[in-house]
Amino acid sequence: MDNRFLVTTAIPEPGLRLLGAAGHVTVLPDRPDHATLSSLCASGSYDVVLTQLSDTIDAPLLAAARIRGVSNFAVGFDNIDVDTATRLGIAVANTPGVLTDATADIALLLILGTARRVVEADRLVRDGRFHGWEPELLLGRDVSGSVLGLAGFGRIARATARRALGFGMQVVFSPRPPGDRVVGEEELGEFAGRVRQVSWDDLVQRSDFLSLHVPLVEDTVHLVDAAVLARMKPGAILINTARGPIVDEPALVDALRNGVIAGAGLDVFEDEPRLSAGLAELTNTVLLPHLGSATVPVRAEMARLSALNAVAMAEGRTPPHPVNHPLNRSVVHPVDRSGKEVPA
Ligand code: GLV
């Protein structure tokens, strides 16, 4: 019960309750800047820090930190330098699985919303510009029969494929662009014979909707840049529910302005919450404030998992959802970075 948790931003229940039952919880009143978070982590006052994807846990912070673990309230962990954490014997954990369907729902919402011009339509009604049914009012495009290209074929991409097939879309995918890994039939499972694997280059050229589902790592930064945008169909729509920096956002604004592609549905931005100049003015976009996992039950599950991860790490156990298991314990044994004994 002497566990000490630092929570950088309040999380929903049952998260705080679970942490409170296992130790002392400090919830910061405001989102900490990097210097504040670094000095809190270095203070020796906390065993585990429960972070948001907006908290940058980089090598300098980790090197000075006296903590056992970082529990990220997200499935993505690109905000954390996991290699450095592993080297230093600091555990990292995340919240996979529970947000798959909710995020795929947002991908479909963006596909439908861009195809059927929902933002423009809503604005027209609210502005009092709806004067009755018109044969050519706000005509969109058909989703059924069009080609959905999935960049990536992990959990969220598959859940998106399942939905898209239900809408009568043709689904093609490239499992891990920019490389071209081959996925065998057995790996396809329920999708065997229903989706087709193509190269990244083919995916770019044949998609009516190109939806991004890759992690943000070194080789996916600006995976979609001006050159890729130029190879897409002029009628194509880009969908991003993954991470903003996967797209070169200023290049996307240019492409949307100049008709290189037809539209974009974005739930994430390159430098969140800032938008690239010109993006907000474009009518051929649907822009959401990173809502992929934002349902009441999903956020409660994320809170529960992140708390269970944090408690396990504080107690020196492997968390239920480790990102860097096994740890390089030799670095810290027998007294770990929080100053506690490491259980044998
Ligand atoms: C949200 O973007 C997450 O990674 O959970």
Side-chain angles (χ1 to χ4, degrees), residues 269-291:
F269 302 93
E270 186 161 5
D271 185 22
E272 273 175 42
R274 203 185 62 80
L275 302 190
S276 288
L279 184 56
E281 287 78 55
L282 293 167
T283 52
N284 49 350
T285 56
V286 176
L287 310 177
L288 301 180
H290 206 146
L291 294 181

Side-chain angles (χ1 to χ4, degrees), residues 89-104:
I90 297 174
V92 178
N94 69 341
T95 64
V98 295
L99 46 76
T100 303
D101 283 326
T103 307

Side-chain angles (χ1 to χ4, degrees), residues 112-185:
L112 293 166
T114 47
R116 300 302 297 270
R117 305 172 65 180
V118 71
V119 172
E120 289 171 86
D122 179 271
R123 189 163 300 147
L124 177 135
V125 173
R126 289 176 200 275
D127 289 352
R129 290 183 284 118
F130 177 41
H131 306 302
W133 190 90
E134 289 176 39
E136 294 190 82
L137 179 63
L138 282 173
L139 302 187
R141 61 176 57 205
D142 287 324
V143 162
S144 339
S146 59
V147 175
L148 171 64
L150 299 168
F153 205 58
R155 282 183 295 253
I156 296 172
R158 287 169 191 247
T160 305
R162 203 169 290 125
R163 286 157 174 73
L165 290 168
F167 274 90
M169 300 183 88
Q170 297 172 46
V171 178
V172 293
F173 73 98
S174 172
R176 184 53 181 84
D180 283 324
R181 180 177 84 81
V182 175
V183 169
E185 283 291 296

Side-chain angles (χ1 to χ4, degrees), residues 60-247:
L61 181 151
L62 289 164
R66 290 163 63 203
I67 53 174
R68 279 191 160 179
V70 180
S71 173
N72 215 33
F73 184 79
V75 64
F77 45 83
D78 46 275
N79 57 312
I80 303 169
D81 183 338
V82 175
D83 288 345
T84 300
T86 308
R87 201 162 35 73
L88 294 171
I90 297 174
V92 178
N94 69 341
T95 64
V98 295
L99 46 76
T100 303
D101 283 326
T103 307
D105 287 346
I106 290 287
L108 252 292
L109 178 151
L110 290 171
I111 291 170
L112 293 166
T114 47
R116 300 302 297 270
R117 305 172 65 180
V118 71
V119 172
E120 289 171 86
D122 179 271
R123 189 163 300 147
L124 177 135
V125 173
R126 289 176 200 275
D127 289 352
R129 290 183 284 118
F130 177 41
H131 306 302
W133 190 90
E134 289 176 39
E136 294 190 82
L137 179 63
L138 282 173
L139 302 187
R141 61 176 57 205
D142 287 324
V143 162
S144 339
S146 59
V147 175
L148 171 64
L150 299 168
F153 205 58
R155 282 183 295 253
I156 296 172
R158 287 169 191 247
T160 305
R162 203 169 290 125
R163 286 157 174 73
L165 290 168
F167 274 90
M169 300 183 88
Q170 297 172 46
V171 178
V172 293
F173 73 98
S174 172
R176 184 53 181 84
D180 283 324
R181 180 177 84 81
V182 175
V183 169
E185 283 291 296
E186 68 297 338
E187 237 188 285
L188 282 180
E190 66 176 291
F191 296 104
R194 303 172 70 207
V195 302
R196 208 146 62 78
Q197 176 166 356
V198 297
S199 69
W200 169 231
D201 207 43
D202 264 8
L203 193 85
V204 166
Q205 293 187 48
R206 70 167 68 183
S207 298
D208 296 309
F209 295 85
L210 177 60
S211 189
L212 307 178
H213 302 281
V214 289
L216 177 62
V217 290
E218 217 172 300
D219 66 352
T220 60
V221 173
H222 287 187
L223 176 70
V224 177
D225 58 9
V228 165
L229 290 161
R231 291 206 305 279
M232 290 172 68
K233 291 179 179 173
I237 290 177
L238 180 71
I239 304 294
N240 192 3
T241 53
R243 284 292 184 267
I246 296 168
V247 177

Side-chain angles (χ1 to χ4, degrees), residues 271-333:
D271 185 22
E272 273 175 42
R274 203 185 62 80
L275 302 190
S276 288
L279 184 56
E281 287 78 55
L282 293 167
T283 52
N284 49 350
T285 56
V286 176
L287 310 177
L288 301 180
H290 206 146
L291 294 181
S293 62
T295 72
V296 173
V298 168
R299 288 284 164 86
E301 263 309 280
M302 290 169 68
R304 194 177 69 81
L305 293 192
S306 60
L308 293 180
N309 283 333
V311 172
M313 293 190 286
E315 293 174 351
R317 292 182 283 114
T318 301
H321 299 284
V323 167
N324 61 348
H325 182 68
L327 276 180
N328 183 5
R329 283 287 188 197
S330 62
V331 178
V332 290
H333 193 78

